[in-house]
């Protein structure tokens, strides 16, 4: 069995920490680098549900996309939400490692996994770094154009089910071929998607005003497909698990959490009388 430090080295080769944004908090949150690891759970969110899953399943490591301690803290008391999780993890001997914006920018990374799930052939980053290969988001193409209505259905069928579902803004009959995607909150890249000349842009957490202003532009702009934050990043878990699976030739048991940690659990629409 490899040591935790060896598993981290494999992950950081795939998702170099130097690709993380300056405000981000990536890396090992808790755990002994010298301890051995034979089972790893991959998830989007380090929350009670996924910690339960790791402990119940006998994992020694959780690899999460979202950081547990993104903002500076002065303590992790067990009577606080995040402190309770840290104490549970340590008592159970489970390490926590987070790969966030470094996994977003890596190639392949979070948006590559999203593009692949949708069936896009990736052409390059939406917002490239200096090397032109890494960066936020991806631009890709479908094998053949399809109506926007069919494309929205494609996205819905490609991602795990959530209560809010998938929603689109655009002409249902518009042909869609070239597409931009960005896992996680992506409305800050609306202008990038427009400049890229794509037919549609798929991302999460689209806000009312940025989306409305985007659609009101005089020039032709990409149609929008909105998904939940968790659903947009969940495909990355399989990609990251494959990194560890390949690095240790089957000597580490890897599992992808299927527990939906999207916070939205109910949906209602007005009943017309």
């Amino acid at each position: 069995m490899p040591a935790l430090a060896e598993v981290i080295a494999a992950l950081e080769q795939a998702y170099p920490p130097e690709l993380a944004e300056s405000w981000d908090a990536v890396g090992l949150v808790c755990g002994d680098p010298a301890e051995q690891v034979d089972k790893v759970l991959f998830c989007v969110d380090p929350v009670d549900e996924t910690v339960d899953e790791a402990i119940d399943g006998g994992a020694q490591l959780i690899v999460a996309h979202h950081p547990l301690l993104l903002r500076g803290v002065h303590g992790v008391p067990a009577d606080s939400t995040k402190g309770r999780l840290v104490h549970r993890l340590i008592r159970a001997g489970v390490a926590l490692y987070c790969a966030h914006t470094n996994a977003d920018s890596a190639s392949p990374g979070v948006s590559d996994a999203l593009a692949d799930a949708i069936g896009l052939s990736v052409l390059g980053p939406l917002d490239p770094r200096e090397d032109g290969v890494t960066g936020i988001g991806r631009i890709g193409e479908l094998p053949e154009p399809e109506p926007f209505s069919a494309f929205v259905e494609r996205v819905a069928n490609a991602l795990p089910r959530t209560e809010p579902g998938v929603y689109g803004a655009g002409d249902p009959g518009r042909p869609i071929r070239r597409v931009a995607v960005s896992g996680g909150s992506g409305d800050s890249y609306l202008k990038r998607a427009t400049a890229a000349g794509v037919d549609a842009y798929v991302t999460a957490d689209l806000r009312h005003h940025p989306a409305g202003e985007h659609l009101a532009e005089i020039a032709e702009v990409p149609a929008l497909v909105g998904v939940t934050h968790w659903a947009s990043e969940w495909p990355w878990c399989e990609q990251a698990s494959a990194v560890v699976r390949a690095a240790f030739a089957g000597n580490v048991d890897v599992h992808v959490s299927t527990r939906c940690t999207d916070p939205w659990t109910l949906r209602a629409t007005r009943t017309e009388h």
Side-chain angles (χ1 to χ4, degrees):
M1 288 186 292
L4 172 59
E6 295 176 273
V7 178
I8 291 173
L11 288 165
E12 292 189 345
Q13 183 174 3
Y15 310 114
E18 58 267 26
L19 293 180
E21 299 294 325
S22 60
W23 49 263
D24 203 3
V26 303
L28 187 64
V29 176
C30 62
D32 183 347
E35 289 290 329
Q36 291 186 317
V37 172
D38 70 1
K39 192 169 189 178
V40 185
L41 178 73
F42 293 81
C43 64
V44 175
D45 298 301
V47 292
D48 278 317
E49 294 89 339
T50 48
V51 170
D52 288 343
E53 187 174 5
I55 293 173
D56 293 345
Q60 296 87 33
L61 170 63
I62 295 174
V63 177
H65 179 48
H66 289 150
L68 177 63
L69 305 172
L70 181 58
R71 294 174 177 83
V73 297
H74 299 288
V76 284
D79 60 353
S80 67
T81 300
K82 295 188 175 184
R84 184 183 71 250
L85 286 178
V86 171
H87 281 260
R88 288 190 64 204
L89 289 164
I90 292 173
R91 286 170 182 154
V94 179
L96 172 62
Y97 180 87
C98 300
H100 191 212
T101 54
N102 52 324
D104 288 328
S105 284
S107 179
V110 171
S111 291
D112 293 279
L114 174 58
D116 184 63
I118 294 171
L120 301 174
S121 297
V122 171
L123 304 175
L126 173 61
D127 185 24
R129 296 168 69 94
E130 290 182 2
D131 60 12
V133 176
T134 60
I136 299 296
R138 293 294 182 268
I139 297 170
E141 284 188 345
L142 293 169
E144 299 291 339
E146 63 188 28
F148 183 54
S149 59
F151 180 71
V152 175
E153 291 290 337
R154 169 192 287 269
V155 175
N157 290 327
L159 299 182
R161 181 186 178 278
T162 60
E163 284 304 319
V166 173
Y167 45 93
D171 177 358
R174 177 177 178 174
I176 304 298
R177 176 77 185 275
R178 191 176 175 94
V179 178
V181 301
S182 183
S185 303
D187 62 18
S188 61
Y189 297 99
L190 286 168
K191 291 190 183 300
R192 284 274 183 182
T194 300
V198 298
D199 303 311
Y201 178 39
V202 182
T203 192
D205 301 338
L206 286 166
R207 293 170 295 165
H208 177 87
H209 292 295
E213 290 167 6
H214 165 83
L215 295 169
E217 291 285 343
I218 296 173
E220 186 174 58
V221 297
L224 300 179
V225 181
V227 301
T228 71
H229 197 114
W230 172 81
S232 74
E233 295 176 330
W234 183 80
W236 169 80
C237 296
E238 180 57 42
Q239 179 197 97
S241 72
V243 169
V244 173
R245 189 182 298 113
F248 299 102
N251 290 321
V252 176
D253 191 8
V254 298
H255 291 265
V256 171
S257 175
T258 57
R259 299 190 186 187
C260 178
T261 53
D262 194 280
W264 311 110
T265 57
L266 292 174
R267 180 178 63 176
T269 55
R270 175 172 172 161
T271 301
E272 298 295 340
H273 296 288

